[in-house]
């Protein structure tokens, strides 16, 4: 359902074409793009796009692989799907979607992880934390995509390692909200009430 702030009520919207959880969602050019995730059977590669003007969904080019819990952000008019997982495998692939061609290409990879947070901030994509199943650990690293888009730079650590946290831009800061400080079993997240603020000197 869709919440109307002015009327303070919910209204029904067109349902997703197929059920899923653990997906990513971003807004690009006035439309909501929902990427990957999983259902009762498996992880999926679905890329479903919702147009609020028509209250309708449309299938677009699927992700190059089925994956749940990717991070996603919009930068320079393109969608970046970052990392993700399927079963006990974590991925370090980064896929870049160009709406003009309805196609995905490969971007610079990262250390494999799922459940990370991502946001476009200070003119670059930033990735916060996540979980490494291979290391059985929640991660604290903060990565930034270089301005030329060719590589990721490690720019420090969060005070608290977390997976399943949500990174949101508010004002001149990024807030990393909640998440699990310890790695979970069977993809479970114990959660936390941790909120940490990240702030940088953005170039003018």
């Amino acid at each position: 359902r869709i919440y109307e702030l002015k009327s303070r009520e919910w209204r029904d919207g067109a349902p997703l074409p197929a059920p899923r959880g653990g997906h990513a969602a971003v807004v690009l050019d006035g439309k909501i793009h929902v990427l990957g995730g999983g259902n009762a059977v498996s992880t999926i590669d679905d890329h479903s796009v919702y147009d609020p003007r028509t209250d309708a969904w449309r299938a677009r080019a699927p992700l190059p692989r089925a994956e749940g819990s990717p991070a996603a952000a919009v930068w320079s008019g393109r969608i970046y799907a970052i990392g993700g997982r399927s079963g006990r495998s974590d991925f370090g692939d980064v896929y870049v979607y160009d709406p003009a061609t309805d196609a995905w290409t490969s971007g610079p990879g990262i250390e494999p992880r799922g459940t990370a947070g991502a946001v476009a901030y200070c003119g670059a994509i930033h990735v916060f934390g996540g979980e490494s199943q291979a290391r059985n650990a929640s991660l604290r690293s903060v990565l930034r995509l270089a301005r030329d888009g060719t590589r990721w730079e490690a720019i420090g650590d969060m005070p608290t390692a977390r997976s399943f946290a949500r990174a949101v831009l508010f004002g001149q800061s990024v807030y990393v909200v909640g998440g699990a400080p310890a790695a979970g079993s069977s993809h479970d997240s114990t959660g936390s009430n941790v909120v940490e603020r990240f702030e940088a000197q953005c170039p003018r």
Side-chain angles (χ1 to χ4, degrees), residues 163-185:
S163 59
F164 295 97
R166 295 295 174 258
V168 293
L169 180 64
F170 184 76
Q172 300 301 311
S173 303
V174 177
Y175 289 77
V176 184
V177 182
S185 60

Side-chain angles (χ1 to χ4, degrees), residues 94-122:
V94 174
Y95 301 121
V96 184
Y97 177 74
D98 185 344
T101 59
D102 186 33
W104 294 90
T105 56
S106 293
I110 61 170
E111 177 190 359
R113 70 191 65 197
T115 77
V119 67
Y121 173 63
C122 280

Side-chain angles (χ1 to χ4, degrees), residues 17-84:
R20 71 202 68 186
H23 47 276
V26 296
V27 175
L28 175 63
D29 296 333
K31 298 180 178 65
I32 300 170
H33 293 247
V34 177
L35 310 170
N39 53 39
V41 179
S42 65
T43 49
I44 59 177
D45 62 1
D46 291 27
H47 175 192
S48 302
V49 181
Y50 177 73
D51 188 339
R53 295 170 298 179
T54 60
D55 188 32
W57 292 89
R58 181 182 182 187
R60 303 303 286 166
L63 287 162
R65 70 157 22 132
E67 58 187 20
S69 299
V74 172
W75 182 67
S76 193
R78 293 173 172 82
I79 298 172
Y80 283 68
I82 304 160

